[in-house]
Amino acid sequence: MQNKTFMYILILVVIVFLIFDLFTVFNRRPKFDITFYKTVVETDYSDTATITTIAGLSFKDEKSMYEYKESYTNASSKTFLNYFEQISKEIGKTITVVSYENSAKERAGILEIEEIAVLKNLVDVSNNTYTLNMGNIQINPNPNSLFIVYIPKDGILVSSNPTPTSFENNKLSWDGESLKNFPTVIYRRK
């Protein structure tokens, strides 16, 4: 009889822990949705490129937005530097953050985050050929996303993997969910 009572108590404790774990998992989900995402990469004839990212985050309530904004403002620079330190290890190429600026502004109930970074060693230079790449780094595509790479105006595109959804003059674009990984773009001087 005592064994049955002990077994029921044990089952009850396990159920309570499962409920607590499920509650914790659901509360860890981000309290926002990404409404739009735009990345612009500008290259030249050096090993450096400038990446500008603008993201719009929609929050379930105003309190969550202000908490996220405060947290982002306090930790974004350190998080960004750590991210590229980790990326460098993953791809076996040291990418150095030369400069980094960010801002977070509320516009019509959307938190707009802008990050501008100048990164050294993002472009590999060999003779007259320039290769922009970050290995096989995944990008989290969004239906409302846009990824743009500008090569120099007088540059000639040699190849791009994957193929952009549009290419005009010196502007390569991938829209929506068409881009899964950071592209590899090879160009050269005329």
Side-chain angles (χ1 to χ4, degrees):
M1 179 106 167
Q2 286 182 344
N3 284 342
K4 281 186 176 181
T5 305
F6 179 73
M7 187 65 122
Y8 290 138
I9 291 172
L10 188 61
I11 290 172
L12 183 63
V13 168
V14 169
I15 290 172
V16 167
F17 277 115
L18 283 173
I19 291 171
F20 179 75
D21 284 345
L22 285 173
F23 180 75
T24 305
V25 166
F26 285 117
N27 282 334
R28 278 191 221 160
R29 291 189 309 178
K31 296 180 179 180
F32 62 85
D33 293 317
I34 298 174
T35 55
F36 66 88
Y37 193 83
K38 179 180 178 182
T39 299
V40 177
V41 181
E42 297 170 277
T43 64
D44 57 17
Y45 295 117
S46 72
D47 64 351
T48 304
T50 301
I51 296 181
T52 303
T53 302
I54 301 171
L57 308 178
S58 173
F59 289 80
K60 294 172 183 27
D61 58 69
E62 202 169 301
K63 181 182 175 195
S64 297
M65 182 186 337
Y66 290 115
E67 287 173 355
Y68 182 86
K69 182 179 178 183
E70 186 176 316
S71 170
Y72 171 80
T73 304
N74 292 334
S76 60
S77 294
K78 185 178 179 182
T79 302
F80 192 84
L81 293 171
N82 289 341
Y83 174 76
F84 276 98
E85 190 176 296
Q86 184 63 35
I87 293 290
S88 293
K89 290 176 186 173
E90 286 180 31
I91 65 175
K93 171 169 114 171
T94 302
I95 297 174
T96 307
V97 179
V98 176
S99 67
Y100 173 73
E101 298 173 27
N102 65 19
S103 64
K105 301 172 191 161
E106 181 193 352
R107 294 177 196 242
I110 304 280
L111 184 63
E112 186 177 286
I113 293 178
E114 180 177 24
E115 297 179 320
I116 302 169
V118 177
L119 303 172
K120 188 169 180 58
N121 296 328
L122 196 59
V123 179
D124 298 320
V125 181
S126 176
N127 296 324
N128 196 28
T129 304
Y130 302 83
T131 304
L132 168 74
N133 76 51
M134 277 187 21
N136 201 22
I137 297 301
Q138 287 187 325
I139 293 176
N140 296 324
N142 178 299
N144 297 319
S145 66
L146 181 60
F147 194 100
I148 299 170
V149 173
Y150 286 101
I151 61 173
K153 287 187 180 190
D154 60 342
I156 297 171
L157 179 65
V158 174
S159 68
S160 174
N161 184 22
T163 303
T165 50
S166 72
F167 176 61
E168 294 178 38
N169 300 323
N170 66 326
K171 177 183 174 184
L172 295 87
S173 300
W174 294 263
D175 57 2
E177 297 176 339
S178 63
L179 189 62
K180 308 286 187 218
N181 296 39
F182 194 93
T184 298
V185 177
I186 302 172
Y187 59 97
R188 62 180 174 83
R189 291 182 190 264
K190 278 189 177 179

